[in-house]
Amino acid sequence: MTNETLKINKKSWDQAAERFYGRNPLPEYGPLAPTEDDLHLFGDVRSLKMLEIGCGSGHSLKYLDQRGAGEIWGLDLSSKQIESAKALLVNSSSPVMLFESPMEQNPGIPADYFDVVFSIYAIGWTTNLDKTLKNVHHYLKSGGVFIFSWEHPMYNRIKAENGALIMDKSYHEEGAYQHIAWNQPAIMQQYKLSTYINLLIENGFAIEKVIEDVSLTEEDIQRHANKWYSYEKTKAIPAAVIIKCRKL
């Protein structure tokens, strides 16, 4: 099922790429979540070697290039996303390396090389979280930082209906699911927050921060409001979780 899921998701992302061009890149961590301007998880990135897992259209890499990153690398499953990223980053000050590849596979990325590996709202697309985290650990230097954000595990287990919040899916249920908010077939992975934390620990990471805060300014609400992300739901449940950890 893994290869079939990757084929489905690649096709879906190639079709949807334009719709997601430049959506929620750094300094954003995701819809209705605090930003890097609030959290300062990356700190000074000047001269650092940085790799993005699920780089999409390349806007987060551009943000880091503008802040003086030493090298910017990215990989993404979608050929359309990689094409967009290449076009966006063509005049970057930093050296750029981009790979069209699933995050579960290593397309030729060096080991023990990166100061920072990060992923902005992409990690839930992996078909094998354990393998993806092993790859991240492999890419990082000793003491290197891994920062990622994803939809909070509680968010799609609860729906807002007629002014009430209804839990319509067990929190204990994990595994693949087809996301109802996508126009095309798209298969994501559902994990408990404890699963993320325990797999990070098992794969040799020390967790430094887990952030479940929300940002519900008027600007945030207007920019992100849609059928899936809403003020009413997010004021009760975090839309995103953000984790910073370090390779031991």
Side-chain angles (χ1 to χ4, degrees), residues 32 215-226 229 231:
L32 303 173
S215 182
L216 294 173
T217 66
E218 190 62 37
E219 180 187 358
D220 285 314
I221 294 165
Q222 289 180 2
R223 191 148 45 96
H224 296 295
N226 55 41
Y229 294 106
Y231 168 78

Side-chain angles (χ1 to χ4, degrees), residues 166-185:
I166 301 168
M167 191 164 190
D168 65 347
K169 187 176 181 182
S170 169
Y171 184 69
H172 305 295
E173 183 181 331
E174 295 187 294
Y177 71 100
Q178 188 161 317
H179 203 296
I180 61 172
W182 272 68
N183 299 330
Q184 302 86 10

Side-chain angles (χ1 to χ4, degrees), residues 53-232:
I53 306 296
C55 65
S57 53
H59 285 77
S60 290
L61 293 174
K62 183 177 181 180
Y63 168 87
L64 295 169
D65 173 62
Q66 291 170 338
R67 279 148 187 78
E71 296 179 18
I72 49 175
W73 297 52
L75 79 161
D76 199 279
L77 179 65
S78 165
S79 55
K80 294 291 186 183
Q81 296 277 49
I82 291 295
E83 287 172 12
S84 294
K86 285 180 178 177
L88 183 74
L89 299 168
V90 68
N91 294 318
S92 295
S93 302
S94 315
V96 179
M97 288 288 292
L98 298 174
F99 296 88
E100 180 187 331
S101 172
M103 63 182 79
E104 305 85 346
Q105 299 171 15
N106 181 352
I109 295 171
D112 305 311
Y113 187 77
F114 294 93
D115 301 289
V116 178
V117 177
F118 69 100
S119 182
I120 306 301
Y121 241 66
I123 200 84
W125 289 93
T126 182
T127 59
N128 187 325
L129 180 60
D130 183 55
K131 177 59 177 171
T132 295
L133 295 180
K134 280 181 169 60
N135 286 345
V136 171
H137 192 274
H138 180 72
Y139 303 146
L140 280 168
K141 297 176 180 177
S142 179
V145 168
F146 178 39
I147 299 168
F148 71 92
S149 64
W150 181 240
E151 186 174 278
H152 195 282
M154 284 296 294
Y155 203 79
N156 83 340
R157 289 163 158 97
I158 295 175
K159 64 181 179 181
E161 192 172 276
N162 300 322
L165 296 178
I166 301 168
M167 191 164 190
D168 65 347
K169 187 176 181 182
S170 169
Y171 184 69
H172 305 295
E173 183 181 331
E174 295 187 294
Y177 71 100
Q178 188 161 317
H179 203 296
I180 61 172
W182 272 68
N183 299 330
Q184 302 86 10
I187 299 170
M188 301 181 199
Q189 302 294 321
Q190 186 75 65
Y191 299 107
K192 297 181 290 187
L193 185 55
S194 60
T195 299
Y196 284 104
I197 290 171
N198 289 329
L199 281 176
L200 286 166
I201 293 167
E202 289 168 18
N203 280 290
F205 290 96
I207 295 167
E208 295 188 350
K209 280 194 174 182
V210 178
I211 296 160
E212 299 177 290
D213 297 338
V214 300
S215 182
L216 294 173
T217 66
E218 190 62 37
E219 180 187 358
D220 285 314
I221 294 165
Q222 289 180 2
R223 191 148 45 96
H224 296 295
N226 55 41
K227 291 180 180 178
W228 189 250
Y229 294 106
S230 69
Y231 168 78
E232 289 301 322

Side-chain angles (χ1 to χ4, degrees), residues 1-19:
M1 184 60 184
T2 297
N3 288 337
E4 186 61 30
T5 298
L6 290 172
K7 287 179 184 177
I8 291 169
N9 287 347
K10 176 176 168 51
K11 181 179 180 181
S12 183
W13 267 109
D14 283 344
Q15 292 175 347
E18 289 185 11
R19 184 159 61 96

